[in-house]
Amino acid sequence: MELSEKLTILSDAAKYDASCASSGAQRRRPVNGLGDARRVGVCHSFAPDGRCISLLKLLFTNYCIYDCQYCINRVSSPVRRAAFTVDEILTLTVEFYKRNFIEGLFLSSGVMVGPDHTMEKMVEAARRLRLEHRFGGYIHLKVVPGASPELVREAGRWADRLSANIELSSQEELDRLAPGKTHQNIESSMSQIQRVIGPRQDQDRGKRPQGVLVSGQSTQLIVGATPAPDRLILEKADRLYKRFALNRVYYSAYSPIPHESGDLPSARVPLMREHRLYQADWLMRFYGFRVEELVSQQHQNLSLRQDPKMSWALAHPEFFPVDVNAAPREMLWRVPGIGVRNAMRIAGIRRYHPLRLGDLKKLRVAVKRARDFIITADSMPMRCPSRLVEPDRPRKTGETQLELFEAPVSAVTGEF
Amino acid sequence: MRMTLETWIKKAEGYLATDTPPSWADWESDEDHPPGLFAPARCDSRAGTLRPDVGPEFYEWADLILCHQDSHGAAILYQILWRLTHGEKNLLRIKTDDQMRRLELMCRAVVTDIHRMKGFVRFKKILLNGIETYGAWYEPDHFIVPRVAGFFRSRFALMRWVIFTPGGCLFWDCHRLRFGPGLARDPGLRDDYDDLWQTYYKATFNPSRANPKLLRAHMPQRFWKNLPELRGFNSPV
């Protein structure tokens, strides 16, 4: 099979992994080597879905012994199969890098023979890139759950980032859709990765154990392939962040794959749901929100209509209005429409003069959203926040939902 | 052509020394020292030695602003400097000030342009005077080529490369970085790997997530003609 044909099959098969981050590693070019890594990665292109392309994202092979129903590469799927040789992966990575197409390589794989066999191949590709090509660019390796700790450790010598996908939010869902996969297995891979990386405090200070390159791990969770509500998903993510010091959890809205199994929803999950999960995740990591402030027993799902911070604010009129000229920063960034960055700027400016509504506009605060929650030098809330919006209706399955993005013809036909 | 930071500082110091308010200062002419009635000769001797003490941040900003294709940047910077040295020493914190906002917008445009150039330059393996060289044609929005040079030099130090742009060319021969005059037109370089890269680009995207508006926001259409993955498409979706 020709290289371009393999590339088509094995990048098409890899596109369901959302991560394309190349930030976080900082490394000078190796002596006599090619490439370096920057603290802030570079986007070399943007896909037609608007996502940054910074890594060459490939599967080593799409042959797989597993039969995960949500996965296009499951053993029972009738897709065309292919496998790269290690040399082909090295050539593509190095030649693409030299032309400034990419920041590096993201290598994942279907599981052939067994976890160790597959992991060995991926580690070999990374090792040979580093040693034979003296490649200094970014490498992200997927860890196959069940691979031996020695292989995970070696992967950590060559890769900047490792990740094991948690796939679904509970074991029951895995049992139903991904026979043979267990959270115990996946989480034990995560904890192996964490041991290789070392404690989070050291990680934040850029300190790493001798001979270790890897500086972070992430995971991915599929949303909407099962009825699991956002509450379960966010609670799972929160536990993973805390237990394994993950850098990122990626949420991937399930979109029906060709030749899908009958156990799955045939409609795609609204991308808005995925978007809301990312917003909630962001609020948890950078804004000091706790999971139970965003979702609860009564409200199991995030609202699709309004962002999670707005939902929280509407449910907590007792916190408002907030005086932008006096309130502590942590309170400022809880106001809908004011982010952490602008909260800091506001705190910087108000030492010199009191802020008016017009000033907030200049800072690009979303004044329309914020104004009912704040007091400025020249304005008071006009309406009582608790009466702003009727409470969100619970989400029914099959209900038509808002869509964030336009769906042009190509989305239906699949034509480029 | 871009005014260098040194030239700007020299002029600004001259104007400050003679207490020239912004509305009197001339930033259009090319002379080294402030022209006109109020410019005493002693300005020149002080030049470069006495930076008005307004903090290093201002000069970092100034260096970026002077890369902007809008030549008004020099005058706006002097307005800010004037206010900083005339009772508004905290002006840089006041992000709601109209002049500061204008400065910040210009600054952001330059930073974006720098970031884009790092990503969107596409090298082609060519023969230049019989030697293997990686050549690229790129059209930046602002005068940023010298600022991006270091990025390519450290990343691709063992490759001979050249980046042609309308405003000036950048050569790296594995030892020395050189700047040359610009090229008027796209030299039309080709590379066998362009097709493979386009193959990858088409396969790596999930049509059910298409969002052309977001694509254009991140990668404005004027850049497409020089990106092999988008060549031949008016719109990839």
Side-chain angles (χ1 to χ4, degrees):
Chain A
M1 193 186 285
E2 274 205 35
L3 186 57
S4 75
E5 218 176 330
K6 285 190 187 179
L7 182 63
T8 304
I9 296 172
L10 293 169
S11 48
D12 187 89
K15 73 189 176 193
Y16 298 94
D17 250 305
S19 166
C20 199
S22 61
S23 299
Q26 191 161 26
R27 178 176 52 248
R28 294 171 74 92
R29 188 174 47 82
V31 178
N32 289 326
L34 168 72
D36 54 16
R38 308 261 156 167
R39 199 176 49 76
V40 179
V42 176
C43 290
H44 286 268
S45 193
F46 289 87
D49 54 16
R51 285 200 281 196
C52 161
I53 298 177
S54 85
L55 301 174
L56 172 63
K57 206 186 288 183
L58 298 176
L59 288 198
F60 200 100
T61 175
N62 62 345
Y63 287 103
C64 192
I65 55 175
Y66 288 109
D67 200 21
C68 308
Q69 299 302 297
Y70 49 80
C71 181
I72 191 163
N73 304 314
R74 66 178 189 276
V75 66
S76 60
S77 160
V79 291
R80 286 188 69 200
R81 306 282 170 170
F84 281 122
T85 64
V86 172
D87 282 304
E88 285 168 334
I89 288 180
L90 304 191
T91 305
L92 283 172
T93 308
V94 168
E95 296 302 329
F96 278 12
Y97 195 90
K98 282 182 169 176
R99 284 156 183 80
N100 203 41
F101 295 162
I102 51 170
E103 289 290 284
L105 174 68
F106 176 117
L107 189 57
S108 179
S109 184
V111 181
M112 39 183 182
V113 188
D116 271 355
H117 178 88
T118 310
M119 199 64 217
E120 249 163 44
K121 287 280 187 194
M122 290 199 279
V123 170
E124 185 192 341
R127 179 181 57 232
R128 288 182 54 197
L129 266 178
R130 295 291 188 218
L131 298 182
E132 285 171 29
H133 294 273
R134 306 199 62 77
F135 180 68
Y138 194 92
I139 299 180
H140 181 149
L141 287 187
K142 199 52 84 180
V143 169
V144 183
S148 69
E150 294 72 42
L151 278 170
V152 175
R153 207 168 317 134
E154 209 203 329
R157 286 185 65 187
W158 315 117
D160 293 286
R161 178 161 290 193
L162 296 176
S163 61
N165 283 356
I166 196 77
E167 313 284 20
L168 298 166
S169 58
S170 71
Q171 184 60 46
E172 298 77 75
E173 298 166 72
L174 275 184
D175 288 342
R176 196 159 68 77
L177 293 182
K181 284 196 175 168
T182 65
H183 270 178
Q184 200 187 352
N185 235 342
I186 299 166
E187 288 178 20
S188 110
S189 288
M190 289 178 164
S191 104
Q192 280 161 23
I193 298 170
Q194 196 198 1
R195 273 201 296 279
V196 177
I197 296 174
R200 184 66 195 243
Q201 309 88 282
D202 289 0
Q203 204 182 321
D204 289 344
R205 270 182 263 132
K207 263 178 35 186
R208 247 168 268 156
Q210 185 92 41
V212 168
L213 192 67
V214 63
S215 62
Q217 75 162 314
S218 55
T219 192
Q220 176 165 305
L221 221 153
I222 299 156
V223 176
T226 66
D230 295 344
R231 185 176 64 88
L232 285 188
I233 290 164
L234 289 172
E235 281 172 358
K236 185 71 193 176
D238 190 46
R239 278 201 299 279
L240 293 177
Y241 277 124
K242 287 180 179 143
R243 263 182 77 192
F244 304 112
L246 295 186
N247 297 61
R248 280 295 289 277
V249 173
Y250 290 92
Y251 306 90
S252 173
Y254 172 75
S255 58
I257 47 177
H259 321 292
E260 67 184 351
S261 116
D263 288 350
L264 289 163
S266 57
R268 70 199 182 100
V269 176
L271 293 177
M272 183 55 99
R273 182 170 177 203
E274 178 187 297
H275 181 61
R276 294 291 183 231
L277 282 166
Y278 276 115
Q279 287 180 316
D281 180 275
W282 199 260
L283 292 178
M284 282 156 46
R285 286 190 297 145
F286 301 112
Y287 285 67
F289 278 84
R290 286 168 291 121
V291 184
E292 57 272 25
E293 290 183 283
L294 303 169
V295 275
S296 61
Q297 280 293 348
Q298 294 79 40
H299 299 280
Q300 301 254 349
N301 284 306
L302 298 166
S303 163
L304 292 181
R305 201 172 31 179
Q306 70 214 9
D307 66 77
K309 207 193 329 178
M310 179 62 98
S311 302
W312 174 83
L314 290 173
H316 293 88
E318 70 275 16
F319 282 88
F320 299 100
V322 164
D323 184 347
V324 295
N325 288 304
R329 291 159 200 220
E330 304 76 48
M331 210 50 239
L332 282 180
W333 65 59
R334 286 204 165 218
V335 174
I338 300 182
V340 167
R341 198 176 130 91
N342 264 332
M344 306 296 256
R345 291 170 131 195
I346 289 168
I349 296 165
R350 67 188 182 189
R351 290 161 55 199
Y352 306 108
H353 73 78
L355 284 111
R356 310 164 76 85
L357 221 47
D359 293 324
L360 296 184
K361 269 191 196 130
K362 289 180 188 171
L363 292 175
R364 297 189 180 202
V365 164
V367 171
K368 242 176 159 175
R369 251 181 296 154
R371 70 173 302 164
D372 288 313
F373 299 94
I374 52 171
I375 297 173
T376 62
D378 61 343
S379 86
M380 288 279 282
M382 304 287 285
R383 293 173 291 176
C384 170
S386 59
R387 298 224 195 100
L388 289 179
V389 183
E390 62 187 285
D392 218 33
R393 282 165 300 141
R395 194 189 299 164
K396 290 190 216 101
T397 35
E399 189 185 62
T400 331
Q401 287 159 326
L402 294 174
E403 290 198 11
L404 176 59
F405 308 105
E406 304 113 89
V409 185
S410 62
V412 182
T413 60
E415 266 172 22
F416 193 72
Chain B
M1 200 41 217
R2 169 181 197 250
M3 177 187 277
T4 65
L5 183 61
E6 283 65 39
T7 313
W8 184 88
I9 291 174
K10 227 160 128 180
K11 271 183 107 162
E13 279 171 353
Y15 283 138
L16 275 185
T18 53
D19 222 15
T20 310
S23 52
W24 286 73
D26 169 27
W27 291 96
E28 301 297 314
S29 70
D30 275 341
E31 289 160 64
D32 266 357
H33 55 82
L37 299 166
F38 303 100
R42 67 187 154 90
C43 285
D44 276 2
S45 63
R46 297 158 56 120
T49 57
L50 192 81
R51 285 188 171 199
D53 185 18
V54 289
E57 196 191 353
F58 174 78
Y59 294 101
E60 283 162 27
W61 281 48
D63 206 15
L64 284 170
I65 296 296
L66 292 171
C67 298
H68 202 286
Q69 56 159 344
D70 181 351
S71 57
H72 292 104
I76 300 168
L77 279 171
Y78 184 63
Q79 286 170 347
I80 301 273
L81 181 66
W82 177 265
R83 291 173 62 194
L84 282 167
T85 52
H86 288 75
E88 293 183 69
K89 64 180 195 318
N90 294 310
L91 181 59
L92 296 185
R93 304 273 87 75
I94 315 289
K95 310 283 189 198
T96 45
D97 180 86
D98 284 339
Q99 271 173 356
M100 280 301 297
R101 277 178 65 222
R102 176 139 186 228
L103 210 66
E104 211 171 296
L105 285 179
M106 288 176 79
C107 204
R108 204 178 301 161
V110 172
V111 169
T112 305
D113 201 33
I114 290 173
H115 200 71
R116 279 187 180 139
M117 180 164 175
K118 289 176 185 171
F120 297 166
V121 159
R122 296 284 180 264
F123 284 121
K124 326 271 178 185
K125 196 151 109 181
I126 53 169
L127 287 179
L128 201 67
N129 305 325
I131 311 172
E132 182 186 291
T133 307
Y134 288 83
W137 163 251
Y138 191 74
E139 295 168 83
D141 291 337
H142 304 284
F143 305 115
I144 54 162
V145 174
R147 284 192 79 108
V148 189
F151 172 85
F152 290 105
R153 187 185 53 197
S154 53
R155 181 163 282 198
F156 302 113
L158 298 189
M159 286 157 42
R160 282 170 57 93
W161 52 260
V162 48
I163 301 174
F164 303 107
T165 84
C169 296
L170 202 56
F171 298 89
W172 172 253
D173 61 3
C174 300
H175 304 287
R176 212 157 54 93
L177 201 57
R178 276 173 305 156
F179 294 89
L183 220 59
R185 255 179 292 116
D186 180 357
L189 309 173
R190 291 284 174 271
D191 189 296
D192 289 345
Y193 273 88
D194 285 354
D195 289 343
L196 269 181
W197 175 238
Q198 193 177 65
T199 302
Y200 174 71
Y201 181 83
K202 287 188 203 169
T204 195
F205 128 81
N206 185 346
S208 74
R209 304 181 62 106
N211 187 353
K213 226 197 238 164
L214 194 59
L215 167 65
R216 282 200 180 78
H218 286 309
M219 202 157 68
Q221 206 153 353
R222 66 180 181 279
F223 290 98
W224 293 11
K225 62 180 187 297
N226 296 326
L227 295 167
E229 65 270 32
L230 284 159
R231 188 166 287 150
F233 295 112
N234 279 324
S235 165
V237 283

